[in-house]
Amino acid sequence: MAVKILHMADLHIGANESFLGERAVSRRLEALLTFEKAVDLAKEERVQLFLIAGDLLDSNRIENSFVERVLDKISTANEIKFVLSLGNHDPFNTDSPFSRAKIPENLYVMPTKDTCIEPFEGVKVYGRSFSESLQKGEDRFSVPADENTVNIMCIHGCFGISGEYNPISDNFVLTSGMDYIALGHIHKRSEPQKLGNTYIAYSGCTEGLGFDELGEKGVYIGNIDKNLCDITFVPIQRRMHIVERIDVTNLESETEIFDKTLLFLKEKYGENFADNLYKIVLTGEIPETLDIDKNEIAERLKSVTYFAKVYDETSIKFDLQKIKNEVTLRGIFVKNMLQKIASDKENKTIYERALKLGLGAFEKEVNFDED
Ligand SMILES: [Mn+2]
């Protein structure tokens, strides 16, 4: 019997993006909206089993009101069974809100020892919660799978990575007897992969929490059966974190740079472009006379988007024929280098690079990693 699941992880409700300043307070609440959206989606899609693979909360020190809203939402979806295996950020100890709160009947919070439950006939769910923020892994799950049911595991840990966050080895997977293992911990989503007869995947985090968690975030939804893993990624994030490099060569003012950037973002991200958080990196060669005020551009972008910051990685486009006639140290340097470039064909590219770096050094600090 195929079972329709929703797999989510690492929503980190309560986390604070402090760089947002005043908006950080409302941004914290958005994780709740994203959770509610996931539950609504599960209802629409007639999901039977909603798996949460840990780090639902960013910390056990979270306002009760946040936890109440999560539990309320779960209780309104009583046609769905929810299974929660807690992770390193929200371990199931005496500090856990889940050890105090009234748990809805359709939510099962996995204990800290290996456990198997049967939420409905023909489907068994296996898992365990972290008891502390660090967790030594075991090389196999201690509860054997039932050959006569669909077997699904929901667990937080590091698949294929050793360490102290419940490492999950190939042997663990190969001996598990699972049809699907729903993982949490790694915030970057992975496509389902098959080891033996077991499919395993990270759904990734559900809402990006910084410029190291870029692009679409969401959940896996689909059917699991014996030898079947038919799941699809569905983005549900409220906002995306986005890094874009904008080439500003030949532009002549902050206004032109702002206009080009804005047009690019509108074209690429469509009507909801303003909802996202942007890190814009300016690249290309600009005239010596243009001293870009990146803060001015950032302020203007902030006024039309949820958040923006701007990095300037441009380099200066020098008029070498003009500079070589300057009666300055820089003029002498350029004249000498141009002579070397003209006369020493073998080392031409090295001299060209030295010229570029040297000229940069007259202007500002030199980054030798630039090309
Ligand atoms: Mn996490």
Side-chain angles (χ1 to χ4, degrees):
M1 184 198 85
V3 55
K4 191 158 191 187
I5 66 155
L6 182 151
H7 165 195
M8 71 171 276
D10 295 283
L11 181 51
H12 286 261
I13 295 169
N16 191 22
E17 284 184 273
S18 54
F19 65 87
L20 288 172
E22 283 174 12
R23 279 185 163 164
V25 176
S26 58
R27 174 69 180 147
R28 275 186 88 219
L29 288 165
E30 287 180 355
L32 287 170
L33 300 178
T34 300
F35 181 76
E36 289 168 353
K37 191 172 169 184
V39 174
D40 290 339
L41 180 66
K43 283 186 191 177
E44 278 165 34
E45 292 284 328
R46 302 191 177 279
V47 161
Q48 298 160 281
L49 182 61
F50 192 119
L51 305 164
I52 309 169
D55 287 5
L56 176 63
L57 309 177
D58 189 55
S59 159
N60 283 340
R61 294 166 189 272
I62 185 172
E63 297 91 320
N64 278 331
S65 59
F66 280 66
V67 179
E68 289 307 320
R69 255 181 82 170
V70 168
L71 296 176
D72 277 355
K73 188 67 188 180
I74 290 174
S75 62
T76 65
N78 55 12
E79 69 274 37
I80 302 170
K81 304 288 185 196
F82 290 75
V83 175
L84 169 58
S85 288
L86 295 158
N88 56 302
H89 275 263
D90 50 5
F92 205 7
N93 54 28
T94 50
D95 294 334
S96 170
F98 298 106
S99 59
R100 296 189 299 271
K102 186 173 180 306
I103 304 296
E105 267 177 25
N106 59 328
L107 168 63
Y108 195 86
V109 185
M110 284 289 183
T112 58
K113 66 173 196 335
D114 292 358
T115 299
C116 169
I117 60 166
E118 191 166 4
F120 33 85
E121 215 185 317
V123 178
K124 287 190 171 170
V125 183
Y126 305 74
R128 67 161 178 267
S129 286
F130 272 52
S131 58
E132 296 301 333
S133 56
L134 298 178
Q135 205 83 90
K136 183 170 78 63
E138 302 295 337
D139 206 31
R140 59 196 303 147
F141 197 77
S142 63
V143 182
D146 183 341
E147 284 174 17
N148 301 312
T149 64
V150 174
N151 297 304
I152 296 172
M153 188 179 290
C154 176
I155 196 161
H156 197 79
C158 279
F159 173 47
I161 307 166
S162 59
E164 290 172 308
Y165 294 106
N166 187 35
I168 294 167
S169 64
D170 285 4
N171 185 63
F172 182 100
V173 177
L174 289 166
T175 57
S176 68
M178 293 298 123
D179 298 299
Y180 182 65
I181 300 181
L183 292 171
H185 189 62
I186 305 295
H187 286 196
K188 192 170 164 41
R189 178 172 68 93
S190 65
E191 291 297 321
Q193 69 175 92
K194 196 175 186 188
L195 237 70
N197 292 320
T198 302
Y199 288 93
I200 183 166
Y202 281 103
S203 60
C205 58
T206 332
E207 189 74 38
L209 285 172
F211 287 94
D212 52 352
E213 297 178 353
L214 301 175
E216 291 184 323
K217 302 292 173 192
V219 298
Y220 273 126
I221 295 183
N223 289 309
I224 302 295
D225 203 343
K226 292 277 169 210
N227 269 306
L228 174 81
C229 173
D230 182 18
I231 58 175
T232 312
F233 174 69
V234 183
I236 62 162
Q237 81 288 329
R238 171 71 185 93
R239 302 179 193 283
M240 291 190 285
H241 293 70
I242 287 163
V243 178
E244 289 292 353
R245 299 176 74 81
I246 306 284
D247 187 339
V248 301
T249 301
N250 296 328
L251 301 187
E252 286 174 354
S253 67
E254 276 87 2
T255 298
E256 285 187 16
I257 294 171
F258 168 78
D259 289 346
K260 179 175 179 177
T261 306
L262 188 60
L263 188 66
F264 176 86
L265 297 179
K266 279 182 174 170
E267 279 180 355
K268 183 159 177 185
Y269 296 103
E271 55 177 346
N272 296 326
F273 84 97
D275 290 348
N276 299 324
L277 295 84
Y278 296 101
K279 173 177 162 180
I280 302 296
V281 183
L282 306 177
T283 66
E285 291 194 329
I286 57 167
E288 225 180 321
T289 45
L290 176 59
D291 185 14
I292 294 178
D293 183 351
K294 62 179 182 182
N295 293 325
E296 187 197 319
I297 300 165
E299 286 308 313
R300 291 179 68 175
L301 285 171
K302 266 186 190 175
S303 71
V304 292
T305 63
Y306 186 74
F307 177 82
K309 57 181 177 180
V310 175
Y311 288 74
D312 181 4
E313 289 185 8
T314 57
S315 53
I316 295 168
K317 183 177 183 145
F318 294 102
D319 183 345
L320 299 176
Q321 298 311 318
K322 201 169 139 199
I323 296 171
K324 78 171 189 197
N325 296 323
E326 284 175 10
V327 191
T328 59
L329 189 57
R330 190 173 78 151
I332 296 165
F333 169 73
V334 170
K335 199 171 170 183
N336 281 337
M337 293 308 284
L338 287 175
Q339 273 168 8
K340 285 185 196 295
I341 289 166
S343 61
D344 188 350
K345 296 271 182 268
E346 208 176 306
N347 295 309
K348 186 169 176 274
T349 52
I350 295 171
Y351 285 125
E352 279 174 348
R353 183 163 158 75
L355 173 60
K356 197 176 169 193
L357 287 170
L359 270 173
F362 280 103
E363 301 299 323
K364 56 183 178 185
E365 269 181 61
V366 176
N367 177 0
F368 284 91
D369 293 332
E370 284 177 16
D371 30 78

